[in-house]
Amino acid sequence: MQSAVSVSPSQIPELLLGLATVRPVFLWGAPGIGKSSLINQFAESLGLECVSLLGTQLAPEDLIGVPQITPEGRSRFCPPETIARDQPYCLFLDELNAATPDVQKAFYSLILDRRIGSYELPAGSIVIGAGNRATDGALARPMPSALLNRLVHVHLRASADDWLAWAAGNGIHPWIADHLTDRPDHLWSAPPKTEEPFSTPRAWHMLSDALHSFGAGLDEDTLKVLAHGLLTPAHAVAFCGYAKIVRNAYGLEAIMKGDASWPRRIEDRDLLYYLADSFRGRLVKELPARKEHASPTVRQHAYRSKSLLVQLAEISVEVAQTVIADGPDGNPVLPPWFLIEAARDLPRLVEARR
């Protein structure tokens, strides 16, 4: 399921407070963006215990319970202790849309009528479901219309601002917090079609735990293993480059001022990619759309930047090409006037770009 309207994590508590207290809610979102954590935190904020049922690990009898013969000779289903409680609680149906059709059907009365057999959820209890989308390559089954119509559907998106605000008080490694402050677009990436790691808030949290575990003795090769084992390849390269800058005080500012040159060693290629990407971001931010709007200082900066592009191309045409490459939508990111002037000095880049 997709929606044109989505919410950020910071909007969830207030939204659930108004919705989940009166109707069951289903929270949709890509893997690893924090759906389960948000629901657990919301339940805690209400003073309710959060009881989680994992849809992929349930059978219908896990909900309905087992039959028991009463003294009158009749059978009565006894719901499991996990569900049958005396005090109000938050029933969290995780991966509900990944459950088998029989399990989804068993949830009908629990979701709509808040009842399983003769047992009713205590007054004040809330029911919240969550699941991934089939479009994200996650395990998901079509939800029957009868079940779909019993839920209020909310779509969650990743938010770098929200995650960084959370990270500040939850011990996230400073390298990760600082890097994502500079590159918030690296917090999340769409799941790939192939079986490979991809960036999510959960992946960055796991990387933070690993960095804390290894401590200051973490070597460069191990860092690469960790980053490439958790993040999208391009994001892993960028983070390793950032970490190398932090460790060696090797920054773009020094290169821009002429106090340092682009790294030339093959083993520093990840650092070169990171610096080139930062260089591109600096140009996008500082160069005006039209040349006539550029001040003398900005024009001098543009001249210096073209010289740096030439130096970068001498080391790697491929890396230099990333600086002037078009955006994901196929449109130029840098101002046309700068690209035209750069083309006069960079015939090899122009040829490669074609």
Side-chain angles (χ1 to χ4, degrees):
M1 175 183 280
Q2 297 287 347
S3 175
V5 180
S6 60
V7 298
S8 66
S10 63
Q11 296 174 276
I12 288 295
E14 184 175 356
L15 195 61
L16 289 181
L17 187 60
L19 284 176
T21 51
V22 293
R23 289 292 180 182
V25 176
F26 192 89
L27 189 61
W28 295 87
I33 63 175
K35 299 185 293 296
S36 300
S37 296
L38 285 169
I39 293 171
N40 277 278
Q41 291 168 17
F42 174 70
E44 184 179 351
S45 72
L46 297 182
L48 297 176
E49 181 180 359
C50 188
V51 177
S52 299
L53 298 180
L54 194 61
T56 52
Q57 297 180 4
L58 292 175
E61 55 269 23
D62 294 327
L63 298 174
I64 300 172
V66 295
Q68 181 185 54
I69 305 300
T70 67
E72 295 78 22
R74 298 177 181 178
S75 65
R76 179 180 63 186
F77 280 90
C78 298
E81 186 180 24
T82 306
I83 297 176
R85 295 167 178 253
D86 297 326
Q87 298 299 319
Y89 66 98
C90 172
L91 179 58
F92 175 31
L93 311 177
D94 200 6
E95 297 185 6
L96 172 60
N97 62 327
T100 63
D102 286 343
V103 171
Q104 290 188 18
K105 186 177 179 180
F107 276 118
Y108 282 19
S109 62
L110 182 60
I111 290 173
L112 183 62
D113 302 321
R114 304 163 69 84
R115 175 193 296 271
I116 283 286
S118 60
Y119 171 76
E120 292 186 39
L121 294 181
S125 296
I126 58 176
V127 179
I128 304 176
N132 301 317
R133 305 166 301 194
T135 51
D136 292 317
L139 174 61
R141 292 183 170 90
M143 196 179 294
S145 58
L147 179 59
L148 197 74
N149 196 238
R150 283 168 159 80
L151 299 156
V152 180
H153 299 271
V154 176
H155 295 258
L156 180 69
R157 67 175 182 272
S159 166
D161 289 341
D162 288 357
W163 193 82
L164 287 169
W166 170 85
N170 286 274
I172 295 300
H173 197 282
W175 289 1
I176 291 176
D178 291 344
H179 174 65
L180 291 178
T181 298
D182 291 337
R183 295 306 307 265
D185 55 312
H186 284 196
L187 175 66
W188 179 84
S189 62
K193 301 299 182 183
T194 54
E195 294 178 337
E196 62 182 63
F198 59 100
S199 303
T200 65
R202 177 167 57 203
W204 285 106
H205 193 177
M206 293 168 66
L207 179 58
S208 172
D209 290 344
L211 293 178
H212 282 307
S213 178
F214 280 92
L218 178 66
D219 60 81
E220 186 176 318
D221 289 338
T222 303
L223 176 60
K224 288 180 179 179
V225 171
L226 297 176
H228 284 271
L230 285 165
L231 307 175
T232 301
H235 294 176
V237 169
F239 179 73
C240 289
Y242 173 79
K244 189 175 289 188
I245 288 175
V246 172
R247 284 178 161 178
N248 299 288
Y250 199 126
L252 178 64
E253 203 63 43
I255 296 175
M256 298 287 289
K257 292 179 179 179
D259 296 333
S261 58
W262 299 109
R264 292 178 173 272
R265 299 188 308 166
I266 294 297
E267 55 266 36
D268 287 336
R269 193 50 52 93
D270 56 347
L271 175 58
L272 187 65
Y273 270 105
Y274 180 84
L275 290 169
D277 190 53
S278 300
F279 181 45
R280 172 184 167 92
R282 179 77 66 89
L283 293 176
V284 170
K285 181 179 179 181
E286 296 181 354
L287 296 180
R290 300 179 65 87
K291 186 176 181 179
E292 54 265 31
H293 295 158
S295 65
T297 301
V298 171
R299 294 191 183 196
Q300 184 177 6
H301 171 61
Y303 179 80
R304 169 64 180 160
S305 297
K306 287 185 289 182
S307 175
L308 289 173
L309 267 175
V310 172
Q311 295 173 22
L312 184 60
E314 290 174 351
I315 300 172
S316 171
V317 173
E318 179 186 1
V319 176
Q321 184 185 350
T322 65
V323 176
I324 64 170
D326 293 338
D329 57 0
N331 295 318
V333 173
L334 295 174
W337 65 268
F338 178 79
L339 291 174
I340 292 173
E341 292 188 6
R344 298 170 186 161
D345 300 326
L346 303 170
R348 287 186 299 162
L349 268 181
V350 174
E351 188 62 29
R353 196 161 180 253
R354 288 175 180 170

